[in-house]
Amino acid sequence: KTIVFEKIFNNCADYTEIGIIQLHNKYADDKFKLVPARSFNYLLWKFLIRYYSKYRKKVDEPIENIYLYIDERNVAQKAKYDLKNYLEMKNFELPKPLFNNIYIEYVDSSTNSLVQFADMVANSYYRWLKFGEKGTIPKTIEMINTLLVNGKIFEYPIDNE
């Protein structure tokens, strides 16, 4: 896995940014967790507005397009339409919109290398947070950290204040 990460990072580091959202169930309100699709939409918007808009690599440049590729196995059919509408509505409520266009594609992860890469990143981080030895950082996590927006993961509800 480290070899795959190294190839991707060596070839894409200049224009790639990674956003990881960590939901702390212990601190999140029970009502928040009742409808997972609604929670997902909200968390994604919070990440975009509180982190990505302020800390992305090219923060001084306007965002023409945002492209999201989401694993279709994790999304109910109705939620596929709600996310785009929700993000567009929230964006246009801003005094100055964050982006001009948003494109969301629901894909089969077995045929999409970007989603496969995202799965590898998420799984690596999850394993490290859950089982990693305190004080040690594996090489894959070090590489991921160099591409994280704001240099860290977005933790909800902690980073929402």
Side-chain angles (χ1 to χ4, degrees), residues 91-155:
N91 185 53
F92 295 125
E93 287 177 351
L94 297 173
K96 182 180 176 197
L98 176 61
F99 53 83
N100 288 330
N101 303 296
I102 188 160
Y103 301 95
I104 301 174
E105 190 173 335
Y106 296 90
V107 299
D108 178 353
S109 63
S110 68
T111 61
N112 187 290
S113 56
L114 288 173
V115 175
Q116 290 172 10
F117 176 67
D119 282 343
M120 287 174 50
V121 167
N123 289 333
S124 295
Y125 235 95
Y126 174 78
R127 280 193 305 280
W128 178 60
L129 290 172
K130 183 127 176 123
F131 306 111
E133 188 177 319
K134 295 217 186 258
T136 63
I137 302 175
K139 186 171 183 174
T140 53
I141 299 301
E142 285 179 0
M143 287 187 284
I144 293 167
N145 285 346
T146 64
L147 297 182
L148 285 178
V149 175
N150 197 25
K152 62 180 193 169
I153 59 178
F154 178 76
E155 299 181 71

Side-chain angles (χ1 to χ4, degrees), residues 5-18 52 56-59 61 143 146-148:
F5 275 115
E6 285 175 343
K7 285 184 179 184
I8 292 170
F9 284 70
N10 290 336
N11 293 313
C12 305
D14 292 339
Y15 53 88
T16 300
E17 292 180 279
I18 297 172
Y52 191 70
R56 67 184 189 277
K57 286 181 181 178
K58 298 179 180 181
V59 72
E61 294 180 19
M143 287 187 284
T146 64
L147 297 182
L148 285 178

